[in-house]
Amino acid sequence: MIVAHRPINRTRPARGIAVGDRRLLILISRRAIAIARINRTLVHRIDRLRARDLLRMGEALATLVIEQLPSATRHVLIDLDPTEDPCHGQQELELFNGFYGTHCYLPLMIYVTGDDGRQRAVGAVLRPGNASTTKGACQVVRRLVALVRAHCPQAQITLRGDSGFGIDEVIRCCEALGLGYVLGLAKNE
């Protein structure tokens, strides 16, 4: 659960991650979510945040997830997965996707897995339904690799993706960043 709000008491700001003049409160445990009581006057609608604030929030969440990796992690696997999210009715950016045969969003889901074998969701990038599989992938991977290397500098990083990512642009990005990669290849017909 994520709540963005403006701090009321400037002398004692709310605990959380600063995002502009707002604070991002992250309640991770189910118990914390169950007992959280948030005054409605504090809640600020997420859709009013600027794009750079949303990027900072996403990076702050990714940092929290990556910090869960043991610092002695020797290998990190980054998974990229475009996921169809069907839409019903006319929604902004809901477009027809020929591969899935439906009107949808095509969010890019990003996961990391460390030596402990536990897969952790790092983030999601909402994209229109007609977005190419790789749209935004290299930018996300660059940011994520920097965060992983800051936390686990000795870790070997591998990128894994399906055949939609087995293109020259993604391969060049991996090689430029010094990543290993396991990418599917589209079949020849």
Side-chain angles (χ1 to χ4, degrees):
M1 180 175 156
I2 303 167
V3 178
H5 72 86
R6 295 178 188 276
I8 290 179
N9 185 345
R10 298 285 180 188
T11 60
R12 256 187 61 207
R15 292 182 63 206
I17 299 165
V19 180
D21 63 336
R22 298 167 190 89
R23 290 271 171 185
L24 172 67
L25 299 180
I26 303 168
L27 306 174
I28 296 173
S29 73
R30 289 184 183 160
R31 180 177 167 82
I33 291 171
I35 63 172
R37 301 271 191 260
I38 299 171
N39 187 337
R40 289 184 186 263
T41 59
L42 297 177
V43 176
H44 189 275
R45 293 179 50 122
I46 294 290
D47 61 354
R48 291 187 184 166
L49 292 174
R50 294 175 292 228
R52 73 172 185 243
D53 292 335
L54 293 172
L55 286 171
R56 288 181 62 201
M57 285 171 55
E59 194 162 316
L61 288 171
T63 301
L64 286 174
V65 171
I66 289 168
E67 286 174 353
Q68 293 176 8
L69 292 170
S71 58
T73 299
R74 298 176 53 97
H75 188 264
V76 175
L77 181 66
I78 299 173
D79 278 309
L80 299 179
D81 184 25
T83 305
E84 169 208 17
D85 183 14
C87 296
H88 309 284
Q90 296 177 343
Q91 300 171 20
E92 188 178 0
L93 298 178
E94 120 343 270
L95 296 167
F96 185 77
N97 184 298
F99 181 78
Y100 295 107
T102 185
H103 287 261
C104 63
Y105 294 113
L106 194 64
L108 178 63
M109 305 301 293
I110 305 107
Y111 304 93
V112 295
T113 307
D115 292 336
D116 58 359
R118 187 168 155 224
Q119 189 176 51
R120 297 163 173 88
V122 176
V125 179
L126 181 62
R127 304 178 306 168
N130 66 350
S132 73
T133 302
T134 59
K135 180 179 182 181
C138 288
Q139 292 86 351
V140 168
V141 169
R142 279 188 201 101
R143 285 179 178 246
L144 190 56
V145 165
L147 292 173
V148 170
R149 287 193 173 139
H151 182 67
C152 306
Q154 76 287 359
Q156 178 186 8
I157 304 171
T158 303
L159 179 73
R160 181 168 61 186
D162 63 16
S163 62
F165 295 100
I167 63 170
D168 192 47
E169 174 191 359
V170 176
I171 293 170
R172 286 183 192 208
C173 176
C174 289
E175 290 175 351
L177 293 169
L179 305 180
Y181 50 91
V182 179
L183 304 172
L185 296 175
K187 61 182 175 181
N188 257 344
E189 290 189 45

